[in-house]
Amino acid sequence: MAEISSETRFLHAVEMGLGAWQWGDRLIWQYGNGYDDEDLQRAFQASLHEGVRFVDTAEVYGSGRSERLLGKFIKETDQPILVATKFFPYPWRFTKGSLVRALKASLERLGMESVDLYQSHWVSLTMSNDLLMEGLAECVKKGMTRTVGVSNFGQTRMLAAYSALARHNVPLASNQVHYSLLNRSAEKNGVLARCKELGIRLIAYSPLEQGLLTGKYNPSKPPAGARGGQYARLLPKIQPLIKLMTAIGQDHGGKSNAQVALNWVIYKGALPIPGAKNESQAQQNTGALGWKLTDEQVAKLDEASDLILGE
Ligand SMILES: NC(=O)c1ccc[n+]([C@@H]2O[C@H](COP(=O)([O-])OP(=O)(O)OC[C@H]3O[C@@H](n4cnc5c(N)ncnc54)[C@H](OP(=O)(O)O)[C@@H]3O)[C@@H](O)[C@H]2O)c1
């Protein structure tokens, strides 16, 4: 394992975060239908109360509403928060200055002078990797963010990003990728191992597989909206895994499926950022902290997940 740079060390101390895609998003999450700003503020406060104070947002979430809500919630608490947001590489953004401009707009929505982590949401189709990294490095140099990261980067691009940033004396703090018991790509394609080797924090998005791993959905009760179609093929296959998770949770004094799913991500050495729509979900998710699955239980979960994923 590489030496972790002093600038990015704080991120390695964060065990779990809170995802804020749900904050304002109607298309996938049906914001405003079944939950509102008050629910989200309570989810935020419940997380803080249990020591989860790293929040992941993005300029595109709810077209800026997620950042605005986070800014408002931060203003109304006296506790310190760690904020991560993201640059969206729209094809019409092709200069390094576009990163500085986008971050400036994010900071205005957040009501902050700087964030803790600024990530490129995806690879850019119109900007070279080097230029994208130059833009991120510039954001650090201007004091607008403490650290920078990437998201949805495969191993080759991640290594290129790591080297490009190093030329500007900026460490690559993180790579945020899809990682859960129902999506093990990061484990299988070497990204997780490389991250550990280089001291890059792997941030796991959709760690509950957008709610599937909580066990509350099944083929006769699929999630509403776009998720229903997206998971139509996977949903009928997951029951054996859900049953195993429930049994393992029982062995730990009645931990829920969500808590087992998140504890599994932590066991693997990644930082899960589950989204929550309300206080009770947020509260429950923080119960993934403070205990540990055994090696044997993780091996069983891996095996059950492999059977579903066809490995
Ligand atoms: N970088 C990227 O490209 C990218 C992509 C996706 C996500 N992300 C980030 O990762 C975060 C998390 O991923 P995600 O939101 O896609 O999925 P997730 O965390 O796997 O699932 C969140 C959803 O699961 C349900 N849920 C959460 N906790 C629950 C509990 N304790 N009991 C029952 N249901 C519960 C809620 O939806 P329902 O109640 O509606 O089921 C919630 O909205 C996002 O908020 C975002 O910050 C980043």
Side-chain angles (χ1 to χ4, degrees), residues 103-168:
L103 180 51
K104 190 167 174 281
S106 285
L107 291 172
E108 273 164 22
R109 283 187 291 273
L110 287 160
M112 305 175 83
E113 283 181 6
S114 71
V115 289
D116 296 286
L117 176 65
Y118 195 45
Q119 309 153 95
S120 180
H121 210 141
W122 289 89
V123 298
S124 169
L125 299 175
T126 48
M127 235 189 281
S128 70
N129 210 41
D130 281 0
L131 201 59
L132 193 64
M133 294 310 125
E134 210 178 317
L136 284 176
E138 192 108 347
C139 293
V140 175
K141 302 226 159 100
K142 288 186 179 299
M144 300 164 78
T145 184
R146 190 167 157 195
T147 62
V148 291
V150 294
S151 176
N152 298 302
F153 273 41
Q155 198 181 151
T156 309
R157 276 186 206 265
M158 181 179 84
L159 294 178
Y162 179 89
S163 307
L165 284 170
R167 289 194 286 276
H168 297 281

Side-chain angles (χ1 to χ4, degrees), residues 18-22 28-30 35 55-58 61 86 119-122 151-152 176-178 180 204-212 214 216-217 223-224 227 256 258-259 262 273-278 280-285:
L18 174 65
W21 181 14
Q22 286 69 9
I28 306 287
W29 297 108
Q30 280 129 13
Y35 70 107
V55 185
D56 177 76
T57 182
Y61 293 167
K86 309 185 197 83
Q119 309 153 95
S120 180
H121 210 141
W122 289 89
S151 176
N152 298 302
Q176 183 177 138
V177 296
H178 191 168
S180 80
Y205 75 67
S206 305
L208 300 172
E209 203 54 41
Q210 302 200 345
L212 257 62
T214 66
K216 68 180 175 181
Y217 297 121
R227 280 184 291 164
S256 69
Q259 290 164 346
L262 297 170
I273 46 166
K277 291 178 164 179
N278 54 46
S280 103
Q281 291 184 350
Q283 173 116 38
Q284 188 188 123
N285 295 344

